Amino acid sequence: MLQGADLDGPLLRTAFGQVPSGVVALCAIVDGVPCGFAASTFVPVSLEPPLVAFCVQHSSTTWPRLRTAPRLGVSVLGEDHDTAARALAARHGDRFAGLATTTTTDGAVFVEDCALWLTTSIDREVSAGDHAIVLLRVEGLAMRAEAAPMVFHRSGFRRLAVA
């Protein structure tokens, strides 16, 4: 068992990669244009009140802009959204080029053909090391039960096995 100083960034990244997670797009209209990114640290938190959470690096240049939106669209990406996930995770360029989206009247942006869509608002942020944990209040939702979610595992996008 490694401990203390042996727990460096690359080792921890590899270790944390052993935990599979879903992939979401968090998007909204900011200053008249779509703004958003992909996150693989997303979790349901509470039923009452309805809360979900994701984590974002303090060094993110997108989050300071996105957090100003009154509503955020959370799209749980499906197994066929690997191109969308890569585009939304890109550091440069137009993350929305060629991406099929829908925008609500209150500015939430959703990726089409996803497993789940949540309309959310920011409840609070908690600083946690080099990230912030962002709690979102769920204001509305839509589901496609037949859509299988994308899974992020060991730095790659995966599909769930059908039993």
Side-chain angles (χ1 to χ4, degrees):
M1 171 92 40
L2 298 174
Q3 297 179 356
D6 294 328
L7 303 178
D8 64 5
L11 175 64
L12 287 169
R13 183 179 309 276
T14 300
F16 293 167
Q18 299 299 316
V19 180
S21 62
V23 182
V24 299
L26 293 122
C27 307
I29 298 295
V30 176
D31 297 328
V33 296
C35 178
F37 57 84
S40 62
T41 52
F42 176 81
V43 63
V45 174
S46 171
L47 298 177
E48 187 55 43
L51 298 171
V52 295
F54 73 96
C55 297
V56 60
Q57 288 182 332
H58 289 306
S59 61
S60 171
T61 57
T62 304
W63 179 239
R65 294 177 32 235
L66 195 57
R67 77 159 50 102
T68 66
R71 295 286 182 271
L72 299 177
V74 177
S75 302
V76 176
L77 299 181
E79 62 185 9
D80 296 327
H81 284 110
D82 54 329
T83 301
R86 291 182 203 295
L88 288 164
R91 293 194 185 271
H92 304 291
D94 181 358
R95 293 179 179 165
F96 292 88
L99 192 59
T101 61
T102 300
T103 303
T104 65
T105 57
D106 54 6
V109 176
F110 298 101
V111 177
E112 291 186 5
D113 298 324
C114 285
L116 172 66
W117 300 274
L118 302 171
T119 301
T120 66
S121 59
I122 298 170
D123 186 80
R124 72 186 79 122
E125 289 184 51
V126 178
S127 185
D130 58 3
H131 280 66
I133 301 168
V134 182
L135 288 169
L136 301 173
R137 181 175 293 265
V138 177
E139 310 281 348
L141 65 84
M143 294 182 284
R144 284 184 51 234
E146 72 280 4
M150 172 185 290
V151 176
F152 188 72
H153 182 242
R154 296 183 180 164
S155 299
F157 300 117
R158 313 270 188 238
R159 294 174 184 241
L160 294 175
V162 178

Short mmCIF file of all heavy atoms in Angstrom, two decimals, residues 18 21 41 63 68-69 71 142 152:
data_model
loop_
_atom_site.label_atom_id
_atom_site.label_comp_id
_atom_site.label_asym_id
_atom_site.label_seq_id
_atom_site.Cartn_x
_atom_site.Cartn_y
_atom_site.Cartn_z
N GLN A 18 -9.86 3.90 -11.99
CA GLN A 18 -10.42 2.56 -11.77
C GLN A 18 -11.90 2.61 -11.42
O GLN A 18 -12.57 1.59 -11.42
CB GLN A 18 -9.66 1.86 -10.63
CG GLN A 18 -8.19 1.65 -10.90
CD GLN A 18 -7.94 0.80 -12.13
OE1 GLN A 18 -8.58 -0.22 -12.33
NE2 GLN A 18 -7.02 1.22 -12.97
N SER A 21 -17.58 5.93 -14.16
CA SER A 21 -18.56 6.98 -13.89
C SER A 21 -19.30 7.33 -15.18
O SER A 21 -18.83 7.06 -16.27
CB SER A 21 -17.88 8.22 -13.32
OG SER A 21 -16.97 8.76 -14.26
N THR A 41 -17.46 13.48 -13.20
CA THR A 41 -17.67 13.39 -11.75
C THR A 41 -19.05 13.94 -11.44
O THR A 41 -19.20 15.08 -11.01
CB THR A 41 -16.59 14.17 -10.99
OG1 THR A 41 -16.52 15.49 -11.51
CG2 THR A 41 -15.24 13.49 -11.11
N TRP A 63 -16.04 27.26 -16.35
CA TRP A 63 -16.95 27.32 -15.21
C TRP A 63 -17.24 28.75 -14.74
O TRP A 63 -18.40 29.07 -14.45
CB TRP A 63 -16.46 26.44 -14.07
CG TRP A 63 -17.37 26.50 -12.88
CD1 TRP A 63 -17.05 26.89 -11.62
CD2 TRP A 63 -18.77 26.21 -12.86
NE1 TRP A 63 -18.15 26.85 -10.81
CE2 TRP A 63 -19.23 26.44 -11.55
CE3 TRP A 63 -19.70 25.79 -13.82
CZ2 TRP A 63 -20.55 26.25 -11.16
CZ3 TRP A 63 -21.02 25.60 -13.44
CH2 TRP A 63 -21.44 25.83 -12.13
N THR A 68 -22.64 31.80 -14.25
CA THR A 68 -23.47 33.02 -14.27
C THR A 68 -24.85 32.77 -14.87
O THR A 68 -25.73 33.62 -14.75
CB THR A 68 -22.79 34.14 -15.07
OG1 THR A 68 -22.69 33.75 -16.45
CG2 THR A 68 -21.40 34.46 -14.51
N ALA A 69 -25.05 31.62 -15.49
CA ALA A 69 -26.33 31.31 -16.14
C ALA A 69 -27.40 30.99 -15.09
O ALA A 69 -27.11 30.31 -14.11
CB ALA A 69 -26.17 30.13 -17.09
N ARG A 71 -29.97 29.02 -15.45
CA ARG A 71 -30.30 27.59 -15.57
C ARG A 71 -29.19 26.89 -16.33
O ARG A 71 -28.64 27.42 -17.30
CB ARG A 71 -31.61 27.37 -16.34
CG ARG A 71 -32.83 27.90 -15.67
CD ARG A 71 -33.25 27.02 -14.47
NE ARG A 71 -34.45 27.51 -13.85
CZ ARG A 71 -34.49 28.40 -12.88
NH1 ARG A 71 -33.37 28.93 -12.42
NH2 ARG A 71 -35.63 28.80 -12.35
N ALA A 142 -36.34 15.12 -18.12
CA ALA A 142 -36.92 14.28 -19.18
C ALA A 142 -35.98 13.08 -19.32
O ALA A 142 -34.77 13.20 -19.14
CB ALA A 142 -37.03 15.04 -20.49
N PHE A 152 -17.30 6.40 -18.37
CA PHE A 152 -15.90 6.80 -18.44
C PHE A 152 -15.12 5.93 -17.47
O PHE A 152 -15.43 5.88 -16.28
CB PHE A 152 -15.76 8.28 -18.08
CG PHE A 152 -14.39 8.83 -18.32
CD1 PHE A 152 -13.92 9.04 -19.61
CD2 PHE A 152 -13.57 9.15 -17.25
CE1 PHE A 152 -12.66 9.56 -19.84
CE2 PHE A 152 -12.31 9.68 -17.47
CZ PHE A 152 -11.85 9.89 -18.76
#
